[in-house]
């Protein structure tokens, strides 16, 4: 019965959750783990500009991005601070309550129409508690996220707007064509007018 | 024989490596893991301003800070970019080659006289490969490092120098008394003159 349901749910995805292939690329999963992932993850889509998570909701999921671009942001005295911008094949969620159902003051917003796989925190917790393989996968994924977060910090610590912009072009090719300039300026910790000027002068080189 | 050696090595530390207590606080270690950690970690000290790691050396260790403050930095066109500043009970190392012996362009420098425990990458790898508990501990420590890196990025994305400085005072109380202003300015991605002005005006509130 559960298997029939899963086949229907994942009919458009070669019959199983796309998350399985992602996790398998870090460490082989057991059949029990794959069955749990098929049963508890699910596809979900959001239109451009919609909030995927906001502080009003108690967030209970991480999301694997299949298509589209998502940004994370906070509000600081009414000003939006874009903290990260992610795209296809990345796993995103609120940072402060990584696998827990606590409240968070973070927003996740679709920058384009997005297709996601929702990963319930309860599933993540169950995998960690019951399968040592999950901790190997989790450790490796956290290492990648850690390096990415360090790169984000480094970009904002570069001394000139020009060097930040150039670093961004290398780290995330295509971002400037997919993401509104105001979000990129906030992500880089610079004023939009300054970034706009730098972008124009870099184009003319 | 090995036990006698370890007793001598850890005589000043209640008989065993201080790293054991740190790891045990995340998940219980097995006796075999504790023996490996006692045998392969070791205490080491550096005087203020000395480089703990520089790109000239091939780095083979992470370090647990027992006493003192350490900063990590890169050079960007000859300018030093301070990427992080860490203190007691934190584990530090180069970011790009987390547990591997590859080359990295990062420096680690003692900001005060520091006492450290060196953790060989070969030990970390052996623990991950042979003990599932190590992956639980590694995953939990990486989560903490990930959140800390996100906080570092967020500080530099705040729109004003004043808000960055205030966030820093909360995130790392006492840093401004222990760390030269030039490193803090670089860490915050601001000019030293601007930071100095903000610090003076904040003191007078």
């Amino acid at each position: 019965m559960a298997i029939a349901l899963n086949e229907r749910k994942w009919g458009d995805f070669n019959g199983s959750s796309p998350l399985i292939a992602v996790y398998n690329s870090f460490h082989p999963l057991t059949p029990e783990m794959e069955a749990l992932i098929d049963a508890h993850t699910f596809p979900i889509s959001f239109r451009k500009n919609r909030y995927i998570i906001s502080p009003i909701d108690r967030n209970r999921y991480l999301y694997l991005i299949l298509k589209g671009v998502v940004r994370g942001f906070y509000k600081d005295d009414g000003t939006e601070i874009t903290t990260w911008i992610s795209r296809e094949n990345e796993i995103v969620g609120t940072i402060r309550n990584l696998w827990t159902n606590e409240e968070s003051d973070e927003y996740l917003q679709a920058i384009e129409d997005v297709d996601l796989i929702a990963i319930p925190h309860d599933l993540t917790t169950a995998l960690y508690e019951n399968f040592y393989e999950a901790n190997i996968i989790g450790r490796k994924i956290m290492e990648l996220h850690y390096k990415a977060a360090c790169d984000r910090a480094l970009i904002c610590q570069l001394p000139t707007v020009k060097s930040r912009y150039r670093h961004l072009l290398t780290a995330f090719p295509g971002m400037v064509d997919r993401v509104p300039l105001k979000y990129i300026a906030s992500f880089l910790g610079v004023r939009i007018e300054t970034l706009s000027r730098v972008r124009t002068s870099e184009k003319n080189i």
Side-chain angles (χ1 to χ4, degrees), chain A residues 1 12 25 27 36 54 61 80 91 103 142 158 165 188-189:
Chain A
M1 187 69 154
D12 296 339
S25 71
H27 190 87
L36 274 173
S54 87
Y61 306 99
E80 290 184 6
I91 293 173
E103 284 180 34
M142 285 315 305
L158 291 171
Y165 184 74
L188 294 178

Side-chain angles (χ1 to χ4, degrees), chain A residues 59-124:
Chain A
N59 169 41
R60 294 181 296 140
Y61 306 99
L62 296 175
Y63 297 96
L64 168 66
I65 304 176
L66 297 182
K67 188 173 83 62
V69 176
V70 176
R71 74 173 181 125
F73 71 94
Y74 288 87
K75 287 187 181 173
D76 179 68
D77 281 344
T79 307
E80 290 184 6
I81 319 281
T82 297
T83 44
W84 50 261
I85 300 171
S86 292
R87 58 186 158 168
E88 285 83 2
N89 296 316
E90 296 189 72
I91 293 173
V92 296
T94 53
I95 291 159
R96 303 204 183 237
N97 56 346
L98 216 45
W99 324 115
T100 63
N101 295 338
E102 290 156 32
E103 284 180 34
S104 167
D105 51 352
E106 297 168 73
Y107 295 77
L108 266 64
Q109 185 182 25
I111 300 297
E112 303 172 347
D113 290 351
V114 295
D115 295 332
L116 311 169
I117 299 294
I119 312 164
H121 291 333
D122 291 347
L123 171 67
T124 304

Side-chain angles (χ1 to χ4, degrees), chain A residues 38 62 68 132:
Chain A
D38 269 340
L62 296 175
Y132 76 88

